[in-house]
């Protein structure tokens, strides 16, 4: 959350700098004040969770654009522009300034009043995203319908369907055998889908009719180099389990309990784990020695949100074996992070991105064309050489400390602005 | 012989062809050819008329209706119920007219060959003469009022053309000629209106315009014979005038029209039926008894007759018409065209018989015309003007005869008058020609060119004061003229005696027998007019032929060529003989020689009310005395005394008669009165309409100011304020607006980066406000 | 005491506003550029705060990209400034207003 004091201070600085920018006569000073404003805005970007923008603002805007401004100011010697004589030709425009001020203030009011008075819309809730995980050992290959919509097809044991967006509220979920008519549903239940949620429908349980459970997931951004792990116990015939990391083999008491006492049908709270390989074992919660399922070298990748479901798998002899089925989903990138920006930029906004590139190219060419002069080798006028006060070279020279001279010893001058070919 | 009536279309066709040839090719032919073609055409038409006469005489005077070829079915409008077939009637009345027209016409054609010799428009003259003949024959052969009217208008047109024949004469004379032609035409038009109205009323009343439909009997009350046998049988039958008598004597009687339905009858038979049944005629909301309608019809016909036959008040054109060549005056204005009105009234004798009021009016008009024209003729100096007014006066006789119901007498006088008046006119033409030649001869003999023109201008060959003693120079002309004068004056045994006395007798009888006051009036007035006639005619003869020549021209006037004198002789013979066509009974036994009432009997076949009267020898004697007395008076004044040195009329010189004579000479100021009453107001009105209404108002005000300026003003209005100002302004304004807005908006692009950044910021603030505002609400 | 995300956002806001002021008010091109960088930084802070609140790294990626792009941008921008300087002998942005309306 943004705090108020940095905001107020930096905002004040920005406004002040803007006002000073307008009031200054010296164009260089004005440019510098503008840089100050840009810096403030960059800071405000940071306050708004837009680190990428802050960087771009500083590098491109303050760093490139304003420098270009300064270049041209110095080139044209415009740091001091004498105001034109108010007498000539300005008489008829004396109405201008008051009118401009009035209109501008009016604009301020016009925008400000609704801003202050009006209500802002509520953010629309996002629709729930749902997928189905089939860990029912006896159900076979299933199709899943939400209402009349097929949301998963051909799910074998351990398969998860991709995320689909459904309408919030109550949905009638029905499971049928794959490619079979919906009428003969193996299981059907009505589940309430909450908005702004990511839900996994887990079909588990022995017997012909699997049980449907709704497990909420959290796909929001995880801290850096971390992953979120959520565990759900979906084997009703297994006892309460714990997730244990035995650690080194030979070290005593190196056992870490990651999750304790997860009863069947329960969902554990998501935990954030650093990336790496872990050796986990799903053990009986009461007896750690009873290893139900071993997960050696389980890799925890970064920026992921994993759902591990403990399910019973029927093995060849008909008995049920406890397994842990991981469902791995990449987590959302951090809001405002370059990753998030890049994510959008190279998918949704690819075309504008390329177009802007073309635009920049055109601008480059245009700038060169507009300012290009034929080199005038024939004559070099002696008269009317524009003397700029403190040309850039001398500024640089003074700062550097050395004199920059041309071959013939005179201080370097800018090319003659007079000899413009007409 | 039965087929002779089929020839009647030829009578119109042959003169038409003659006119056609002379009109289009006459200029290239020699005078001999042109004249021959015209005369032969006229002669052939006369031949056809003779054949028709022969036919009628041989076929019991049965009238025939002929359909001319190629005109079947015209005019027929089934939708309007109008059926006016172009049919030609061959009956005694129409054949009478045909004979007169073509006979006199042919003689005048011969005369014209001599009279118009040397005229550059010789061919045109003959073309017009033939055309006139054709139209006149259409008039008289027409079986319906429409055909009559077509001929009526056609002769009016030809009269116009012929009166104004010398329209091209210099020094204003041509203008005077064309003025006279126009006057004739326009005055005639007033009469034509009358005929048109009569036609409309007739058609409305009777549904047809046909005089008599084919198969109808014109005079069903007349007993007739199976065959013509000598004059005695005719006389006996005519005297009887009684169908029963004839039937009792075993003679077959014609069937009358009683078996024919009314709608199949002609207008006259229908009128008789309607009068018998005392029917009424409705004109829309107005209903009139048939008697009133007939009165109206006949009054309109009278109007037409006053126009065409030159009665009061429309006679003014006839004296002016003397501007035309003398043959024209002879043919048209003596013998034929002017008789068309009389013909119309005689043809419509049935109407006039029933329209007593109109008959009274007719009598009054005719009588007054006779006396007035006779009075005016006394004071005229122009030889042709005297004859013109004489014609008007004689036409008044005819019209008065019609008025008192003496239709036969009117027709008889028409025929005889045609002969002697044509004779007189042709004779005057001969005199004028002689005077012209004499003047030319005298002028050349005496002056060798110096005062040639001046004398010729002032010399009027028609002025009687320049004549005198021509009986020695022009004997043939003199003797024929003398015969014509005696005939006109009504001296026994010349033609005028018989015809004029029949009129006088019939009007006296109308007064005595029928009790018509108009008869007495007519008798008295006509008697006085007869006296005037004798007076002015002998005055003319004295001044022209008797006495001594008063000018060199008269002294050297030669006799005319034979082509002119031969027709004079022929007409003189006719003037003597024509009288004996219609000798009345009781006329000193002469009827036994020539047959009594031959003409009347002949006419009765077509004219129902042409009754014959007995000889009233008291009246005849009285008229003869009056005429001789007048002639003696004139002789005393004009021959024995003669004109004075200043060539003034003795009646003028003599104190008591001076005002009367001046009135007569001034033609009773009739034309001047018309001018004051009608012409000048008309001209003023026309001037007013032309200058003020048309020019000042319509042209200047309405056209120029209202329409032109108004239109321009509207155009200006549309162009400048609306088009330029409004529309262009809008369009340009749109542009300017855009420019202004853009100029304003342009300033946003100041070029200053900081301003752009500021505007960006502004936008951002606004957007955020919009977006975040709901949040504020919630919060 | 937890700092709420809101505090970070507030701070980011203040820096952002200061950067904006610098962009708007400074005439020196290089100083303007530096103010832009300040704004970017403020933004980065805010994103990172939220990423932190929700827990999602995608936020960080985003910041990464922003920084990259800022770098490219600065390269080209400064080359531009050099080129402009060679042309106009001055880096006063108020003198660069040729493309005006």
């Amino acid at each position: 959350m943004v705090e108020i004091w940095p905001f107020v201070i930096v905002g004040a600085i920005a406004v002040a700098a803007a006002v000073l920018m307008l009031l200054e006569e010296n164009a260089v000073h004005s440019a510098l004040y503008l840089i100050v404003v840009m810096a403030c805005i960059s800071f405000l970007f940071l306050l708004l969770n837009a680190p990428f923008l802050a960087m771009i603002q500083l590098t491109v805007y303050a760093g490139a654009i304003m420098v270009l401004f300064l270049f041209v100011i110095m080139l044209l010697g415009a740091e001091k522009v004498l105001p034109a004589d108010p007498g000539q030709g300005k008489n008829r425009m004396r109405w201008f300034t008051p009118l401009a001020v009035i209109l501008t203030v009016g604009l301020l009011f016009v925008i400000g009043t609704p801003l202050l008075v009006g209500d802002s819309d509520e953010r629309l809730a996002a629709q729930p995203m749902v997928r189905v995980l089939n860990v029912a050992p006896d159900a076979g290959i299933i199709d899943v319908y939400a209402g009349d919509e097929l949301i998963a097809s051909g799910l074998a044991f351990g398969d998860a369907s991709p995320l689909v967006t459904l309408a919030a509220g109550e949905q009638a979920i029905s499971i049928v055998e794959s490619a079979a008519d919906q009428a003969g549903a193996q299981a059907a239940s009505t589940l309430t889908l909450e908005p702004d949620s990511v839900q996994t429908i887990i079909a588990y349980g022995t017997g012909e009719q699997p049980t449907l459970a709704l497990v909420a997931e959290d796909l929001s951004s995880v801290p850096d180099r971390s992953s979120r792990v959520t565990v759900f116990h979906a084997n009703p015939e297994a006892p309460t389990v714990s997730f244990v990391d035995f650690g080194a083999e030979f070290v005593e008491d190196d056992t870490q309990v990651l999750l304790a006492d997860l009863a069947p049908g329960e969902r554990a709270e998501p935990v954030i784990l650093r990336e790496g390989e872990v050796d986990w074992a799903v053990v009986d919660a009461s007896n750690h020695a009873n290893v139900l399922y071993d997960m050696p070298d389980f890799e925890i990748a970064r920026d992921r949100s994993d759902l591990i479901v403990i399910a019973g798998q029927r093995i060849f002899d008909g008995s049920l074996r406890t397994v842990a089925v991981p469902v791995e989903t990449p987590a959302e990138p951090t809001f405002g992070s370059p990753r998030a920006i890049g994510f959008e930029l190279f998918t949704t906004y690819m075309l504008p991105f390329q177009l802007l590139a073309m635009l920049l190219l055109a601008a480059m060419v245009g700038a060169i064309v507009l300012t290009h002069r034929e080199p005038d080798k024939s004559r070099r006028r002696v008269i009317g050489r524009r003397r700029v006060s403190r040309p850039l070279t001398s500024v640089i020279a003074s700062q550097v400390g050395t004199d920059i001279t041309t071959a013939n010893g005179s201080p370097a001058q800018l090319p003659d602005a007079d000899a413009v070919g007409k | 012989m039965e087929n002779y009536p089929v020839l009647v279309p030829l009578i119109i066709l042959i003169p038409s062809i003659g006119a056609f040839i002379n009109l289009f090719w006459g200029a290239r032919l020699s005078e001999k050819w042109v004249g021959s073609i015209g005369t032969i055409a006229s002669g052939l038409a006369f031949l056809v008329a003779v054949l028709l006469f022969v036919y009628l005489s041989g076929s019991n005077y049965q009238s025939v209706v002929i359909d001319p070829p190629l005109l079947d079915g015209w005019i027929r409008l089934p939708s309007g119920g109008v059926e006016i077939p172009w049919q030609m009637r061959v009956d005694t009345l129409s054949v009478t007219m045909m004979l007169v027209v073509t006979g006199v016409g042919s003689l005048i054609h011969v005369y014209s060959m001599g009279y118009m010799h040397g005229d550059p428009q010789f061919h045109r003259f003959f073309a017009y003469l033939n055309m006139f003949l054709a139209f006149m024959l259409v008039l008289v052969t027409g079986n319906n009022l429409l055909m009559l009217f077509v001929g009526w208008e056609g002769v009016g047109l030809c009269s116009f053309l012929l009166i104004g024949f010398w329209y091209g004469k210099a020094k204003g004379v041509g203008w005077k000629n064309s003025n006279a032609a126009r006057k004739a035409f326009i005055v005639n038009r007033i009469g034509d209106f009358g005929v048109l109205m009569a036609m409309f009323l007739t058609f409305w009343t009777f549904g047809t315009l046909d005089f008599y439909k084919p198969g109808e009997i014109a005079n069903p009350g007349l007993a007739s014979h199976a065959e013509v046998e000598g004059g005695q049988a005719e006389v006996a039958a005519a005297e009887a005038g009684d169908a029963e008598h004839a039937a009792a004597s075993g003679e077959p009687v014609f069937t009358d029209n009683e078996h024919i339905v009314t709608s199949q009858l002609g207008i006259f038979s229908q009128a008789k039926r309607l009068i018998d049944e005392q029917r009424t005629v409705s004109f829309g909301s107005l209903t009139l008894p048939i008697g009133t309608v007939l009165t109206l019809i006949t009054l309109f016909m009278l109007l037409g007759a006053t126009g065409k036959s030159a009665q009061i008040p429309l006679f003014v054109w006839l004296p002016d018409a003397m501007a035309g060549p003398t043959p024209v005056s002879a043919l048209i204005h003596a013998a034929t065209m002017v008789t068309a009105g009389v013909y119309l009234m005689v043809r419509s004798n049935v109407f006039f018989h029933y329209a007593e009021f109109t008959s009274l009016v007719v009598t009054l008009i005719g009588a007054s015309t006779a006396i007035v024209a006779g009075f005016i003729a006394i004071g005229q100096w122009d030889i042709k003007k005297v004859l013109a007014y004489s014609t008007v006066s004689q036409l008044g006789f005819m019209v008065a005869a019609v008025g008192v119901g003496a239709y036969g007498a009117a027709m008889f006088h028409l025929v005889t008058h045609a002969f002697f008046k044509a004779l007189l006119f042709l004779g005057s033409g001969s005199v004028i020609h002689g005077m012209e030649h004499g003047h030319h001869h005298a002028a050349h003999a005496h002056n060798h060119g110096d005062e040639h023109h001046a004398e010729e201008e002032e010399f009027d060959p028609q002025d009687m004061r320049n004549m005198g003693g021509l009986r020695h120079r022009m004997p043939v002309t003199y003797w024929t003229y003398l015969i014509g004068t005696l005939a006109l004056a009504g001296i026994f045994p010349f033609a005028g005696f018989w015809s004029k006395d029949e009129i006088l007798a019939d009007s006296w009888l109308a007064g005595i027998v029928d009790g018509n006051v108009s008869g007495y009036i007519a008798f008295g007035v006509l008697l006085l007019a007869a006296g005037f006639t004798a007076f002015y005619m002998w005055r003319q003869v004295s001044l022209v032929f008797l006495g001594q020549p008063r000018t060199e021209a008269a002294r050297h006037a030669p006799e005319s060529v034979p082509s002119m004198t031969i027709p004079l002789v022929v007409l003189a013979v006719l003037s003597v003989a024509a009288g004996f066509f219609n000798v009345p009974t009781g006329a000193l036994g002469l009827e036994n020689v020539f047959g009594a009432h031959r003409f009347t009997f002949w006419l009765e076949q077509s004219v129902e009310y042409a009754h014959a009267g007995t000889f009233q020898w008291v009246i005849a004697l009285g008229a003869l005395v009056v005429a001789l007395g007048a002639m003696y008076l004139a002789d005393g004044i004009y021959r024995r005394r003669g004109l004075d040195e200043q060539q003034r009329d003795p009646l003028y010189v003599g104190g008591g008669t001076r005002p009367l004579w001046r009135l007569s000479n001034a033609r009773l100021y009739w034309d001047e009165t018309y001018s004051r009453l009608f012409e000048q107001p008309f001209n003023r009105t026309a001037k007013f309409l032309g200058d003020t209404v048309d020019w000042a108002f319509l042209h200047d005000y309405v056209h120029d100011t209202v329409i032109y300026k108004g239109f321009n003003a509207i155009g200006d209005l549309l162009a400048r304020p609306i088009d330029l100002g409004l529309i262009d302004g809008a369009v340009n304004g749109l542009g300017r607006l855009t420019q202004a807005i853009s100029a304003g908006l342009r300033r946003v692009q100041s070029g200053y980066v900081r301003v752009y950044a500021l505007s960006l910021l502004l936008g951002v603030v606004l957007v955020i406000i919009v977006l975040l505002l709901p949040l504020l609400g919630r919060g | 005491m937890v700092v709420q995300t809101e505090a970070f956002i507030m701070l980011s806001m203040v820096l952002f506003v200061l950067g904006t002021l610098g962009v708007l008010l400074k005439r020196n091109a290089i100083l303007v550029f530096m103010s832009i960088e300040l704004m970017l930084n403020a933004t980065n802070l805010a994103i990172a705060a939220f990423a932190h609140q929700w827990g999602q790294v995608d936020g960080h990626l985003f910041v990464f990209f922003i920084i990259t792009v800022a770098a490219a941008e600065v390269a080209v921008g400064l080359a531009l400034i050099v080129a402009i300087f060679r042309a106009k002998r001055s880096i006063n942005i108020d003198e660069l207003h040729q493309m005006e309306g």
Side-chain angles (χ1 to χ4, degrees), chain B residues 23 39 42 65 114 202 282 288 398 438 461 465 501 511 541 551 577 653 752:
Chain B
L23 196 61
T39 312
S42 177
V65 177
T202 309
S282 74
L288 297 172
M398 295 180 225
R465 289 173 288 190
D501 279 348
V541 170
T551 58
V653 177
Y752 289 99

Side-chain angles (χ1 to χ4, degrees), chain B residues 67-68 70-78 82-86:
Chain B
D67 282 311
L70 299 178
L71 287 174
D72 185 43
W74 201 62
I75 302 166
R76 186 174 293 145
L77 297 172
V82 172
E83 174 139 1
I84 308 174
W86 192 270

Side-chain angles (χ1 to χ4, degrees), chain B residues 281-303:
Chain B
V281 183
S282 74
F283 299 90
S285 54
L286 181 67
T287 312
L288 297 172
I290 185 68
T292 315
V293 175
L294 284 179
T295 306
L296 281 172
I297 294 176
T298 47
L299 279 174
F300 280 123
M301 280 184 182
L302 172 64
L303 180 62

Side-chain angles (χ1 to χ4, degrees), chain A residues 14 58 63 76 169 238 257 267 386 392 414:
Chain A
L58 276 180
L76 303 183
V257 177
R267 168 182 169 269
R386 182 84 169 85
L392 188 59
L414 287 175

Side-chain angles (χ1 to χ4, degrees), chain A residues 130-132 143-152 164-167 169-176 182 187 189-191 193 201 212:
Chain A
V130 171
R131 63 175 161 196
V132 181
D143 282 344
V144 183
Y145 288 89
D148 286 328
E149 190 185 337
L150 180 69
I151 57 176
V164 294
T165 309
L166 292 177
E170 303 217 334
Q171 289 276 0
I173 309 293
S174 58
I175 295 180
V176 297
Q182 191 186 4
S189 69
T190 307
L191 301 171
L193 299 174
I201 300 170
L212 294 172

Side-chain angles (χ1 to χ4, degrees), chain B residues 408-417 498-499 502 578-579 581-582 599:
Chain B
M411 281 308 294
F412 186 39
H413 195 60
L414 188 150
V415 173
T416 56
H417 173 263
W498 300 103
S499 59
E502 184 156 348
F581 288 164
N582 204 23
F599 183 74

Side-chain angles (χ1 to χ4, degrees), chain C residues 66-99:
Chain C
I66 289 177
I67 291 174
T68 313
V69 169
E73 163 214 349
V74 162
V76 174
L78 286 176
L80 271 173
I81 289 179
V82 167
I84 291 173
F85 179 78
R86 284 194 194 141
K88 292 188 71 82
R89 309 302 302 173
S90 160
I91 49 173
N92 186 352
I93 59 169
D94 279 348
E95 293 177 20
L96 306 170
H97 60 95
Q98 273 180 318
M99 290 179 63

